[in-house]
Structures are given as C-alpha cells and as structure tokens.
Amino acid sequence: MTWFYTQMVQWHVLLAWCSVGLFFSRGLLFQFGTPRLQEIAKDARLLVVVFSVNVCLVVTGLSLWGSLGYNPLSDWWLGAKLLALAGYWACGHWAMSQSRLHLLGYLTALALLALAMDLSINRQFLPG
C-alpha cells in the first residue's frame, strides 16, 4: 500500500457521501420544493459545488484504483460498479437536465447509486 491509502479512502468516502447528499437534496427540491427552492437547486453556484465534489471523487477513485491495482475485468464487482456509476450519471443527468425533474430518471439514478455503493462496501450483489 502507498503512504496515502488511508487518507485517500477517507476522502473518497467523504466525497461520495457529499455527492449522494447533494444529488438527493437537489432531487427533493425539484420534486417537492416551491418555485423558489427549485431555482436554488438549479443555481450555478450550487452546480459548481456539485461538479467540484464529483471531480474530486473521480480523482480519488482513480488514485485508489491505480494504487490498489484492481482490474474491472478480473474484479467483477469493480466492473459492475463502474457500469452502475455510468448508468447513475446518465439517469441523473436526464433527471435533472430539464426545467423539471424526471421522477423515473431520478429514482433509477438513486437505485443505481445504491447498487454502486453496495458493491463498494460489500464487493458482492447481495450481502450474506
């Protein structure tokens, strides 16, 4: 292991929870908020925060991937996690890219995000 492994894992986990919280909160504001709250969810400053958190999350994830030497082709859980994250990104973008929230895209994105997090924690589809 490299010298920064523990700190990188801690940062990655913190950034992941921040990203989940931001996505979940923005979706709730879109779905149940007043027009003023919906404008806050689309505010450019908040979008910069969301983008920055996600970029840092990707950087820490790639750093951990490189330092641990995982291969998504031989480590099936990592390949499934990357596919789930790609689906999460696509569904999340679809859900929040218009002037209104697409509820089906939002719920699908949350389900794919839960799958990716489960794979990260348990490294299997169903805990057991």
Side-chain angles (χ1 to χ4, degrees):
M1 296 285 158
T2 56
W3 61 270
F4 61 86
Y5 173 75
T6 304
Q7 292 84 5
M8 188 70 70
V9 169
Q10 292 171 347
W11 273 105
H12 189 69
V13 169
L14 177 67
L15 289 165
W17 280 113
C18 287
S19 180
V20 168
L22 287 167
F23 182 74
F24 188 72
S25 301
R26 287 181 62 222
L28 289 178
L29 287 175
F30 264 112
Q31 184 65 26
F32 300 111
T34 63
R36 173 71 181 124
L37 290 176
Q38 291 173 353
E39 288 301 317
I40 291 173
K42 295 185 289 186
D43 188 9
R45 293 169 292 194
L46 181 59
L47 295 179
V48 168
V49 171
V50 169
F51 180 78
S52 300
V53 166
N54 287 329
V55 165
C56 291
L57 184 61
V58 168
V59 168
T60 59
L62 291 175
S63 297
L64 287 170
W65 184 5
S67 68
L68 295 175
Y70 286 130
N71 182 352
L73 299 177
S74 61
D75 299 308
W76 67 269
W77 64 269
L78 180 60
K81 175 186 172 182
L82 294 175
L83 289 174
L85 288 174
Y88 159 70
W89 177 84
C91 291
H93 181 73
W94 171 58
M96 294 191 185
S97 63
Q98 305 299 320
S99 60
R100 64 181 181 86
L101 176 80
H102 294 279
L103 188 58
L104 178 62
Y106 179 67
L107 295 176
T108 305
L110 285 176
L112 289 169
L113 182 59
L115 174 63
M117 291 184 75
D118 180 53
L119 289 167
S120 294
I121 294 167
N122 298 316
R123 291 183 171 53
Q124 57 188 6
F125 278 114
L126 297 172

